[in-house]
Amino acid sequence: MVVSRRELLWRGALGLTGSTLWTSGWLDSLAVPALALGGDPATQGARPLLVVILLRGGADGLHMVPPVGDPDYPVARGGLRLTQSLHFTSDFGLHPALEPVSELVRQGHLAVVPAAGIPTVTRSHFEAQDLMEWGAPGDRRVGDGWLTRALARCGDSNPFALLALTSQLPLVLRGSGAFAINDPSHFGLVGLSDPARRELEVLYDADGADAVSVMGRRALDALTSFEALHGRRSLSGTSRTQQRLRRFPRPRGMGTLHAGARRLIALEGAGIPVEAVVLESARWDTHAGQGTEQGAMASSIADLGEALAALFDALPHRALRVVALTEFGRTVAPNGAGGTDHGHASAVLVAAKDVKGGVHGTWPGLAQGDLFEGRDLAMTTDTRSVLAAVLDAHLGARLPEQTFPGFTPEPLALFPERRG
Amino acid sequence: MESHHGHALERLLDRATFGVRPGEIARWRAENHSPEEWFDAQVGLVDRPDPELERRLVDAPRSELPRFAPGSSRLKDPSEQRERRRSARRIAEELAGTRIVRAVHARAQLAEVMTDFWCNHFNIYAVNKSVGALLPHYEREVIARHAMGRFEDLLLAVARSPAMLFYLDNWVSTAPVSPGRRRRPRSRGGINENYARELLELHTLGVDGGYGQSDVLAVARVMTGWSLKSRDDPQFAFHAKLHDWGPKNVLGERVEGRGIEEGEGLLRRLARHPSTAEHLARKLAVRFVADAPPPVLVERAKTRFLETGGELSEVLRTVLLSPELSEPSHRKLKTPLRFVASALRTTDGETDGGPRLCQSIAAMGGLPFFARTPAGHPECAEDWLDPAAALERIRLAFMLARGTVAGTRLGPVLPGFLDRGEGRARLRTHEKFGLALASPEFQWS
């Protein structure tokens, strides 16, 4: 029996040996509360959890992590310059809306690569998002996402190992067979009689090779395993999920990411064995009325900050690593509507207890001559190098070579060197 | 010959409508009508009165909502802002409800399918900037009116529509401020590229259509001054003072400063551009024929587009009456809207498009005008399908069959392929319906 690295990781993390994890109910083994694990809980023993946050629309790195020490910043940014910011490093501040992560920052758990991107000249959202999620610019044959290539293996039987808490499966998980769950109360077939359920399973068990049959079969298998543990309920209907949700009351006007983080916390609490999850938010395309300390971009940034804070607060027992990235940055100068248009490089944020906090990579500067095509922040770090570092840390090993075809990651000192 | 007609007709009705009503195929077949005749009959129904549909639309549930203009004077009070956002969302949800009623009950099915196609092609996200309040006008007066006409007219109507001007910010895009003047926060004056970029990438040429960043900027300059009367009066107005009167170079051609005519000329030029013809031909072939349509079909549709000056019913004729359409291996996954509408049509059911049904479609991510980007909802199976999406369809199938979706009722006709097997025969009637609609088979057309 060939055992994938992921499977080993998964079993090792649980302290399980033997080969009965899946067929005899992979969820049962997780009903056991946190296993005794040795070593520093920050990096060792604790089960790794990777959260990938896609900031769709073009998040403004200059807003999230303002380069307050750059003498060209005030003039280049004009009316969109932040006059207040939180302290981050000597050269960079953080947007005031990131206040919820100040504790993470204080502990050195937040790293920022301020001028990152996927090398391309496109300013199309859709093209740039595809590249961000394929991780293979210039190669259109690549049809699945980098997270799939890094983590998913055919035959892996924990259907929740990879999960998207989004309404549709993002490209970054294309080809993985992962679930995209927007509302956990919809995961379940409550109210179906046993004979009807049996007939349904017969319909979906008929070796249909079409995509609906394949996906439906996967869903029904997962549901059956889930019900073996929790009974005929929906994913949000289990008592453990409900307890968990009660502990995290929903604030008024909660943003997409914060709500997604809260769902993840609830699922994790219910014993759903998530290993990597994708969250996304879409309100970053501020062509008009971007605002400065407050306004449209600020509320999107606040949502990100609240999501990060909630995750680290609620999941101390997991080796949690979060990476937040966007398809491109925004123009340095404001446009005519107090907004910004599509730009080039932007900031990538990495939060983890074992990350080396602070700013990584080279700052290209904001002087006119330093700008990409005379208008945008230039790119000095390939986002894939950041992702490779995060994936290596998550896997505890080098990421699979095919993750970023034809690309050799630049070594970034984001995480401590690993033994072996 | 008859069997040829029969097969082609079946596929045509399946794809060019929101689902085939019981007996429909038999009726056309009995009179030995060809696919061409069905197509011509549908073209003939465009803009014709449809009293039954009208009655259902009048009866559709409607809330008494304050109809704010989306940009009406800046509101400082957050509760008023919330109220406005909520209102915009509700207006858009109710509009989606009427769209479902039309999909299920309209006689002019092809026109409804094309309205759906173009609303999605020129998508506006209803929640963004509270633009929902402008969408009823946008859907009916801008899109539906031109959905079977000439692409050029459609493109110009969209460019002038308050909803699109507002959504993609063109109404605030103005001639650049002179370099000497200092930029102030939220200063008036300056180019906004948002509309120009999506005009080229999504609406016309396509992302590989042969334009660059300098073209985006030039198009944005051409379109300056295409705006609204005011924030509180969202009607199209061209403001000569905000227009950039300097010469531009778009796609290698010099455009002299002539005001609104520049934009009109540009839109006409884009509408007739070979890249646009190819982009739209492909998109139509993807919608109706296959996720990866045969290149020869795309080529024929493109040629027809160019030789008719973008006459949409003619391009459609090429696609829908093509032999490629009936190729058995060319399957299309039903979109969520189509899945629901076809469940109602094939069983001979009915709906008032009420909020519960809208919520069900929204849960599958498929509500009209609720795709979150200007690119609209995806057209291909792999974009729609993951295990949870498959489960959601199964869930909704059984909900519809149990009759728990208020205002929506399946009809008495069981889609006929399930009366095999003893286990099934013993199921209760509503379970049989649920099973039929939940089957993998029913998700494809």
Side-chain angles (χ1 to χ4, degrees):
Chain A
M1 176 183 168
V2 179
V3 180
S4 71
R5 174 170 36 227
R6 221 177 115 245
E7 197 168 320
L8 282 172
L9 168 94
W10 168 246
R11 288 186 201 171
L14 287 165
L16 295 171
T17 50
S19 60
T20 55
L21 194 54
W22 332 121
T23 41
S24 67
W26 42 269
L27 275 162
D28 289 320
S29 52
L30 291 151
V32 185
L35 298 151
L37 301 157
D40 171 12
T43 52
Q44 292 189 354
R47 221 146 45 82
L49 173 61
L50 174 63
V51 180
V52 176
I53 300 183
L54 301 174
L55 310 174
R56 297 188 188 281
D60 193 343
L62 296 173
H63 248 38
M64 293 195 286
V65 193
V68 290
D70 186 328
D72 294 310
Y73 170 64
V75 173
R77 264 264 121 162
L80 285 181
R81 178 175 63 105
L82 300 185
T83 51
Q84 296 161 27
S85 63
L86 306 172
H87 177 74
F88 186 44
T89 67
S90 52
D91 290 327
F92 291 86
L94 290 174
H95 192 283
L98 285 173
E99 207 282 321
V101 301
S102 49
E103 185 57 24
L104 277 179
V105 173
R106 204 184 54 74
Q107 295 175 346
H109 294 340
L110 181 71
V112 171
V113 186
I118 301 279
T120 167
V121 295
T122 189
R123 289 191 181 85
S124 148
H125 288 301
F126 314 104
E127 209 172 17
Q129 287 183 25
D130 286 358
L131 294 176
M132 163 175 80
E133 297 181 68
W134 279 326
D139 189 349
R140 293 205 163 188
R141 290 161 306 166
V142 173
D144 53 13
W146 56 260
L147 196 52
T148 300
R149 292 196 299 277
L151 301 182
R153 283 297 176 79
C154 283
D156 263 6
S157 317
N158 165 13
F160 296 114
L162 303 180
L163 185 65
L165 295 175
T166 57
S167 58
Q168 278 156 359
L169 191 72
L171 203 55
V172 71
L173 276 174
R174 178 73 63 81
S176 65
F179 284 76
I181 294 180
N182 199 35
D183 180 349
S185 73
H186 284 211
F187 184 88
L189 287 175
V190 182
L192 222 63
S193 74
D194 287 344
R197 175 70 175 270
R198 238 185 344 262
E199 288 305 318
L200 180 68
E201 277 168 18
V202 170
L203 265 187
Y204 274 88
D205 223 25
D207 296 327
D210 64 290
V212 176
S213 296
V214 172
M215 294 300 173
R217 232 168 10 238
R218 195 170 163 84
L220 291 171
D221 287 350
L223 191 60
T224 305
S225 309
F226 172 81
E227 288 171 347
L229 189 63
H230 291 289
R232 195 68 78 76
R233 291 197 170 84
S234 77
L235 200 44
S236 65
T238 75
S239 53
R240 291 179 67 167
T241 326
Q242 282 171 348
Q243 270 175 17
R244 201 77 185 181
L245 286 167
R246 268 196 298 278
R247 272 188 52 202
F248 294 92
R250 187 190 175 106
R252 196 186 173 90
M254 182 192 270
T256 324
L257 293 175
H258 192 185
R262 190 168 161 279
R263 282 199 298 276
L264 173 60
I265 292 161
L267 295 180
E268 214 270 345
I272 302 299
V274 181
E275 185 186 317
V277 64
V278 179
L279 306 178
E280 64 184 11
S281 71
R283 304 187 62 138
W284 299 91
D285 195 20
T286 48
H287 283 280
Q290 175 166 323
T292 51
E293 283 79 11
Q294 291 180 342
M297 181 68 75
S299 44
S300 296
I301 295 174
D303 181 32
L304 174 63
E306 282 156 8
L308 286 170
L311 289 172
F312 279 90
D313 191 38
L315 304 173
H317 55 291
R318 298 292 301 265
L320 176 64
R321 295 182 185 85
V322 186
V323 57
L325 64 158
T326 185
E327 73 262 36
F328 45 56
R330 310 198 66 80
T331 49
V332 174
N335 65 17
T340 47
D341 293 318
H342 303 178
H344 196 51
S346 186
V348 175
L349 275 59
V350 179
K353 286 181 199 156
D354 57 350
V355 79
K356 188 171 169 290
V359 168
H360 295 256
T362 316
W363 179 244
L366 292 176
Q368 188 60 37
D370 297 329
L371 300 183
F372 175 73
E373 295 184 351
R375 51 178 256 166
D376 301 332
L377 182 64
M379 193 179 287
T380 56
T381 304
D382 192 310
T383 299
R384 291 172 294 174
S385 295
V386 184
L387 298 173
V390 175
L391 288 165
D392 282 351
H394 175 72
L395 289 163
R398 281 273 167 270
L399 79 165
E401 208 166 289
Q402 75 276 14
T403 306
F404 299 115
F407 173 69
T408 309
E410 168 200 352
L412 297 167
L414 274 167
F415 292 92
E417 275 297 315
R418 268 161 206 282
R419 296 166 299 268
Chain B
M1 194 64 201
E2 192 197 322
S3 73
H4 169 72
H5 277 177
H7 179 63
L9 193 66
E10 219 164 301
R11 182 53 79 80
L12 172 63
L13 260 70
D14 209 15
R15 294 280 168 85
T17 72
F18 279 102
V20 186
R21 289 261 178 200
E24 219 168 346
I25 302 268
R27 201 162 53 244
W28 282 88
R29 209 180 268 166
E31 294 165 31
N32 200 21
H33 283 302
S34 65
E36 285 83 352
E37 286 167 302
W38 183 87
F39 182 88
D40 289 335
Q42 281 290 316
V43 172
L45 284 176
V46 175
D47 295 332
R48 300 290 288 279
D50 188 344
E52 195 214 313
L53 176 66
E54 291 307 320
R55 179 180 59 72
R56 289 182 185 273
L57 289 173
V58 169
D59 291 346
R62 194 78 53 87
S63 56
E64 288 303 317
L65 288 167
R67 305 261 150 169
F68 302 103
S72 55
S73 50
R74 287 173 189 273
L75 299 169
K76 288 277 183 268
D77 181 358
S79 72
E80 266 183 80
Q81 275 182 11
R82 261 201 309 280
E83 181 60 26
R84 196 173 70 186
R85 274 203 300 273
R86 198 174 307 138
S87 160
R89 178 185 279 274
R90 288 280 298 282
I91 291 168
E93 282 167 354
E94 288 180 6
L95 181 67
T98 64
R99 183 87 75 76
I100 300 166
V101 174
R102 290 174 187 278
V104 175
H105 295 288
R107 288 169 61 211
Q109 281 283 299
L110 183 56
E112 290 305 325
V113 167
M114 289 315 294
T115 298
D116 181 62
F117 177 86
W118 291 117
C119 282
N120 198 49
H121 180 79
F122 293 106
N123 184 52
I124 287 178
Y125 177 38
V127 180
N128 191 294
K129 301 167 193 155
S130 301
V131 73
L134 298 176
L135 288 178
H137 169 267
Y138 182 68
E139 180 183 307
R140 299 328 304 171
E141 304 303 319
V142 178
I143 303 287
R145 171 160 296 180
H146 301 287
M148 299 277 281
R150 261 193 342 154
F151 181 69
E152 194 172 303
D153 301 331
L154 176 59
L155 186 68
L156 271 145
V158 170
R160 296 166 58 100
S161 71
M164 189 59 82
L165 286 164
F166 203 77
Y167 175 54
L168 291 182
D169 303 308
N170 202 71
W171 78 290
V172 289
S173 180
T174 70
V177 278
S178 56
R181 255 169 63 190
R182 209 182 115 79
R183 286 181 188 278
R184 288 172 293 107
R186 296 167 196 273
S187 64
R188 288 281 104 137
I191 291 290
N192 191 307
E193 296 174 3
N194 202 7
Y195 172 67
R197 181 180 306 282
E198 307 308 7
L199 170 64
L200 296 177
E201 175 177 343
L202 300 175
H203 298 175
T204 61
L205 304 179
V207 69
D208 297 321
Y211 62 92
Q213 173 60 29
S214 64
D215 295 308
V216 172
L217 189 61
V219 169
R221 290 177 59 210
V222 168
M223 296 309 291
T224 48
W226 288 56
S227 185
L228 305 172
K229 278 192 177 163
S230 76
R231 221 173 227 288
D232 297 305
D233 188 7
Q235 294 185 54
F236 175 73
F238 178 75
H239 296 300
K241 272 199 294 205
L242 303 181
H243 182 68
D244 181 336
W245 290 83
K248 299 102 187 163
N249 190 305
V250 182
L251 301 169
E253 263 182 44
R254 194 176 152 94
V255 176
E256 299 298 337
R258 291 193 322 270
I260 191 171
E261 289 167 40
E262 284 168 55
E264 289 165 350
L266 171 70
L267 290 165
R268 286 183 209 288
R269 193 178 146 204
L270 289 172
R272 294 175 195 157
H273 197 284
S275 295
T276 301
E278 167 133 11
H279 179 208
L280 297 176
R282 178 176 314 282
K283 199 165 175 180
L284 284 164
V286 168
R287 161 66 69 110
F288 289 108
V289 180
D291 289 358
V296 287
L297 173 64
V298 175
E299 192 56 38
R300 290 207 309 278
K302 173 188 174 181
T303 305
R304 194 68 188 138
F305 187 101
L306 290 172
E307 69 196 15
T308 60
E311 202 58 70
L312 295 172
S313 56
E314 286 308 305
V315 184
L316 259 184
R317 185 187 296 274
T318 301
V319 172
L320 288 176
L321 300 179
S322 68
E324 287 87 350
L325 184 81
S326 342
E327 162 61 42
S329 66
H330 288 158
R331 304 182 86 187
K332 284 293 296 179
L333 182 77
K334 293 174 183 171
T335 62
L337 174 63
R338 224 182 158 72
F339 165 63
V340 169
S342 68
L344 292 164
R345 286 180 64 82
T346 44
T347 61
D348 212 17
E350 60 178 352
T351 182
D352 65 4
R356 286 292 305 281
L357 192 63
C358 285
Q359 283 158 16
S360 304
I361 295 174
M364 296 190 283
L367 208 60
F369 292 131
F370 279 80
R372 287 180 308 183
T373 74
H377 291 301
E379 300 278 356
C380 295
E382 61 176 356
D383 297 304
W384 285 110
L385 272 182
D386 67 85
L391 189 62
E392 188 65 39
R393 285 171 186 244
I394 294 171
R395 229 175 65 84
L396 181 56
F398 283 99
M399 275 172 65
L400 287 169
R402 274 199 303 274
T404 54
V405 180
T408 296
R409 203 169 54 72
L410 292 186
V413 183
L414 183 64
F417 63 95
L418 271 176
D419 273 333
R420 304 179 295 245
E422 250 178 82
R424 280 174 212 165
R426 278 205 298 272
L427 293 179
R428 282 173 287 174
T429 306
H430 72 84
E431 290 174 332
K432 284 186 193 167
F433 274 88
L435 205 57
L437 303 181
S439 66
E441 196 62 30
F442 191 76
Q443 314 310 314
W444 301 97
S445 77

